[in-house]
Amino acid sequence: MSVARTVLLKVSDNQWLRANGTKLPFIRRAVSKFMPGESFDDMLGAATATAAEGIAAVFTRLGENVEDLTEADGVASHYLEVIDRIRASHIDCEPSIKLTQLGLDIDRELAYGHLRDLAVKCQETGNYLWIDMEQSPYVDITLTLTKRLREEFPRIGVCLQAYLFRTREDLEDITSRGIGVRLVKGAYNEPAAVAFPKKSDVDANYYALAQTMLGAGARAAGSRAVFGTHDLQLIQAIRTHAQVTGVQPAEFEIHMLYGIQKAAQLRLAQDGAQVRVLIAYGDYWFPWYMRRLAERPANVWFVAKSLFG
Ligand SMILES: Cc1cc2nc3c(=O)[nH]c(=O)nc-3n(C[C@H](O)[C@H](O)[C@H](O)COP(=O)(O)OP(=O)(O)OC[C@H]3O[C@@H](n4cnc5c(N)ncnc54)[C@H](O)[C@@H]3O)c2cc1C
């Protein structure tokens, strides 16, 4: 892992900066590259614009590690309300949530109750519920709650991270249950005991896992195959593998983050790929933004320019 990435990921965990970083004007200017704005309406405006370009959306209200019951209740109520607004707007836009935002650190059953309420709402409105994956200590509980939810609701998916050694086994279990998978490389600072330290190993594992997701077993179980990456070489390799093995472009999707590889998103959509863009909003964006910088330390240059801009 590069030094810059390690430093930025450590900064993302700093409690003082988490609370105060969003107040720094030059950082606020720089973050607009990745976020259309802090409100749900900003997100909906961006989703409407991308829909016109043939790209559907996933949305998330930023927040994590909520420590207060009232706040967790508020997050759940917010999602319940906006999922209704999504249906009213007729925009193809799917929610993606973090369990620690729904109160997982306070009380697992409380978080599960909120998660279940969101699954009910998604079912009523014809939507689909995505569950993000957080740091490695949360993987077991996230998958346990996802599998429990799947017993009642078919339209759910979870994020799995290719940097973790355990993901091969998790992927086989999750896909066999017909749960959707959004495969990503992984955004956190993980120890070498649980995750591949070398990027080339993460990339190779991603491609191997992608092949399983496109395999006959996962497809027969009805697992939705989503590749959450901006790695254009990897995307090309996956598309070629699909073509060679007779998997149709309609049978898998590519999801990217708002503001990253926009030209490639459009090219892929025009070329027949199913593309979605994940649009984030909310005022608690500091740790999330630091992870975006860590993914490409050259982005720090944008922050520096914003300092003077
Ligand atoms: C839809 C979606 C959902 C995600 N959900 C989760 C989640 O729930 N849990 C989790 O741990 N992680 C999540 N991630 C983040 C993911 O784990 C990676 O950190 C992130 O996608 C960067 O890895 P990459 O696959 O794009 O490949 P990389 O090899 O990191 O990047 C490939 C190329 O993409 C470009 N690029 C990548 N990131 C950036 C950036 N921030 N700014 C500018 N250019 C960039 C660069 O040109 C880079 O060379 C998600 C990512 C996406 C796209």
Side-chain angles (χ1 to χ4, degrees), residues 33-51:
K33 173 172 154 57
F34 298 113
M35 228 176 83
E38 290 189 357
S39 74
F40 174 78
D41 286 315
D42 293 328
M43 187 291 294
L44 197 57
T48 308
T50 60

Side-chain angles (χ1 to χ4, degrees), residues 1 5 24 53 59-60 86 104 113 166 183 227 233 262 271 281-283 289:
M1 193 191 280
R5 180 164 191 258
L24 300 168
E53 295 166 338
F59 73 98
T60 196
I86 293 284
L104 185 66
R166 59 174 289 169
L183 184 65
F227 302 108
Q233 251 182 308
K262 170 80 195 213
D271 196 34
Y281 64 99
D283 53 14
Y289 178 56

Side-chain angles (χ1 to χ4, degrees), residues 5 33-34 58 96 98 131-135 159-161 163 182-188 199 203 206 226-232 234 255-257 259-261 276-278 291-296 299 302:
R5 180 164 191 258
K33 173 172 154 57
F34 298 113
V58 175
S96 193
K98 284 188 173 29
I131 300 165
D132 289 357
M133 190 57 77
E134 302 178 66
Q135 295 94 325
C159 177
L160 292 178
Q161 299 152 323
Y163 62 14
R182 176 217 289 153
L183 184 65
V184 301
K185 290 189 187 175
Y188 299 90
K199 188 177 181 318
D203 293 354
Y206 192 110
V226 168
F227 302 108
T229 181
H230 315 95
D231 186 331
L232 302 182
L234 194 52
H255 292 190
M256 295 194 192
L257 301 178
I260 303 180
Q261 306 279 33
R276 275 182 193 264
V277 63
L278 191 154
R291 293 198 290 273
R292 302 293 77 82
L293 294 187
E295 281 154 8
R296 192 161 179 258
N299 284 340
F302 288 105

Side-chain angles (χ1 to χ4, degrees), residues 162 196-206:
F196 294 102
K198 273 174 58 191
K199 188 177 181 318
S200 55
D201 290 334
V202 178
D203 293 354
N205 195 40
Y206 192 110

Side-chain angles (χ1 to χ4, degrees), residues 21 51 125 140 150 165 180 186 217 259 276 291:
T125 55
D140 271 329
R150 177 65 181 85
F165 300 135
R276 275 182 193 264
R291 293 198 290 273

